[in-house]
Amino acid sequence: MVSVVRRYYAYRATLTNGFYLPVSVIYMETRGLGLAEIGFVQGVFLFGMVAAELPTGYLADYLGRRRTLALGNAVTASVMTAFVFAATVTHFTAIYLLWAVAWTLRSGTSDAWLYELLEREGLDGEFARLSGRAESVLLVVSAVSALVAGVLYTVDPVFPFTANAAVAAVGLPILFTLPQTQNAENDEPPMTLRRAASLLRGQFSRPSIGWLVVYAALFNVVFSVTRVFEQPALREIGVPVAGLGVLYAGFKLVSAVATSAAGPVQDRIGTRGVMLSLVPIFGVLYASFAVVPLLLIPAVFVRRAVSQLVRPVRNEYINDRLENVGRATVLSGVSMVLSLASGTANVLGGPVAEEIGPVVFLAATGVAVSIAAGVLWLLTSPIRDDSSQGTDNTRTIQVN
């Protein structure tokens, strides 16, 4: 069993996007894309994730976890290779649509495989510890690869993408050394489209869930547009390409620390305190680099830390208010809402960022969202105490 878990850690390491992420946007700029076109392409990626989430979930049940994960790695390797040849908006749009499919093939399925394996061995109580360790392995590998990415890019801009393709391909032989798992039995009736729509409508109409989703979607807009436009913004204030690799390595390490700090912070200030703190943090943070542009550097670090810290707190709050029946459908619905908000912001924000500059655009977005979220909080109280706990709330299910 120890050997199997170690191989699983090795597989999770091949999911890194550390070579690709620090240089992806500036690479598209060198291929002639403007910020408006980059925003469009990134928005297409998020919309593609929304469209692919449910079909790939069905595919995972049909093919089995291991085959689905292998397909995800194969598609990822193909996507990274395709970056080398892409030269137009149409090319990059097609690539990002395929990348969205690859992402949804892997997201959640790897955790499902581990949980089913541990459940079969009577060790399902170890899931949180082992999955957390696997995530730490991924973050460390991503940090190291991000350091290398900037150097590779200065040698040849296509090298980071070929390196990421090679890492994804290495995951294939590792996967086929892992055992098959049998999908857990499910006594629920089939989730038809009509039943899913009715369930989502009922849950989102509850103030304790619906307003929290709206509040979270606002800040997801800030998280998303910052991730998309931070590379040109950092270049605008003078950060070199090699420096981007160093920064992204730091982002991964900060994310790892923030993830582990979520529980203690929540214990100290509570769920309400964590979620409300987003308003002053982002209002002040994003206003600061509108005045002193170099403050963008600490701002992007804080953005990473806060998003990693808030995600498990938000997920626990939502999980606590759901019954077991239909839980996965509601969580998928939340994920879709957040992705749609982010995708729309990227598409609409691209032309604005191109017109006024990425630094000013990010600062204005952060301040505007903080004001809107503050007003929403006063009018609706998104965090409420009413909860409807099911019988299996011991494990927090993540939504993006």
Side-chain angles (χ1 to χ4, degrees):
M1 184 64 185
V2 172
S3 174
V4 172
V5 171
R6 286 176 179 169
R7 277 177 273 147
Y8 174 73
Y9 291 163
Y11 158 70
R12 283 294 298 269
T14 69
L15 301 185
T16 180
N17 57 9
F19 290 108
Y20 146 88
L21 194 59
V23 298
S24 57
V25 173
I26 58 174
Y27 178 78
M28 285 189 281
E29 286 186 306
T30 64
R31 294 297 173 112
L33 274 67
L35 294 184
E37 294 165 320
I38 291 171
F40 171 78
V41 169
Q42 296 279 3
V44 165
F45 170 73
L46 291 167
F47 295 144
M49 286 182 62
V50 172
E53 184 167 346
L54 291 179
T56 53
Y58 285 124
L59 188 64
D61 288 333
Y62 178 74
L63 293 178
R65 309 300 188 203
R66 196 177 66 172
R67 290 191 185 94
T68 302
L69 293 174
L71 182 59
N73 271 50
V75 175
T76 299
S78 301
V79 165
M80 292 300 157
T81 302
F83 268 100
V84 175
F85 305 101
T88 67
V89 176
T90 302
H91 291 164
F92 283 107
T93 300
I95 287 171
Y96 272 89
L97 280 172
L98 194 58
W99 179 222
V101 173
W103 193 279
T104 55
L105 283 168
R106 302 181 312 181
S107 65
T109 307
S110 61
D111 278 346
W113 178 89
L114 178 63
Y115 188 82
E116 289 165 6
L117 176 72
L118 294 174
E119 187 177 47
R120 189 176 70 188
E121 300 293 327
L123 298 171
D124 45 302
E126 292 290 296
F127 173 80
R129 182 177 68 86
L130 295 178
S131 63
R133 188 171 294 175
E135 184 65 20
S136 297
V137 169
L138 176 57
L139 287 169
V140 170
V141 170
S142 296
V144 173
S145 55
L147 281 174
V148 178
V151 178
L152 289 177
Y153 189 89
T154 58
V155 177
D156 192 316
V158 305
F159 281 177
F161 301 97
T162 55
N164 229 135
V167 171
V170 167
L172 293 172
I174 296 175
L175 271 170
F176 287 107
T177 69
L178 299 176
Q180 295 272 19
T181 61
Q182 184 176 358
N183 297 340
E185 292 183 3
N186 188 354
D187 295 329
E188 295 183 35
M191 184 58 70
T192 63
L193 183 60
R194 178 177 295 182
R195 182 167 178 256
S198 176
L199 182 63
L200 290 172
R201 185 165 53 249
Q203 292 295 337
F204 284 5
S205 65
R206 293 171 57 192
S208 60
I209 292 180
W211 287 120
L212 185 276
V213 172
V214 175
Y215 184 83
L218 285 172
F219 284 103
N220 228 53
V221 165
V222 179
F223 297 159
S224 183
V225 297
T226 303
R227 185 173 62 248
V228 172
F229 299 111
E230 67 191 1
Q231 289 179 27
L234 289 166
R235 293 295 305 280
E236 185 179 306
I237 65 171
V239 177
V241 173
L244 291 178
V246 176
L247 285 178
Y248 274 78
F251 293 161
K252 297 298 182 182
L253 297 177
V254 165
S255 296
V257 172
T259 299
S260 64
V265 171
Q266 184 185 22
D267 290 342
R268 186 171 183 84
I269 66 175
T271 300
R272 185 183 299 274
V274 170
M275 299 306 294
L276 179 58
S277 68
L278 296 178
V279 174
I281 287 174
F282 284 97
V284 173
L285 195 66
Y286 279 64
S288 69
F289 63 78
V291 180
V292 182
L294 282 177
L295 290 177
L296 173 66
I297 295 175
V300 292
F301 273 95
V302 173
R303 200 285 297 178
R304 288 303 194 295
V306 171
S307 63
Q308 288 295 323
L309 189 149
V310 165
R311 185 179 294 115
V313 175
R314 181 193 69 211
N315 294 339
E316 180 180 283
Y317 174 88
I318 294 173
N319 268 281
D320 285 347
R321 282 151 184 81
L322 300 177
E323 300 289 349
N324 285 338
V325 176
R327 178 188 298 271
T329 299
V330 176
L331 293 173
S332 291
V334 174
S335 179
M336 289 179 178
V337 170
L338 300 185
S339 294
L340 285 171
S342 299
T344 302
N346 290 337
V347 171
L348 298 180
V352 181
E354 195 164 47
E355 179 69 25
I356 66 176
V359 174
V360 174
F361 169 71
L362 291 180
T365 301
V367 172
V369 164
S370 297
I371 293 172
V375 172
L376 180 71
W377 186 283
L378 292 174
L379 295 178
T380 67
S381 299
I383 301 296
R384 305 189 180 205
D385 294 331
D386 62 308
S387 63
S388 176
Q389 295 191 358
T391 58
D392 182 22
N393 286 329
T394 59
R395 188 164 53 91
T396 300
I397 301 175
Q398 291 198 354
V399 289
N400 287 322

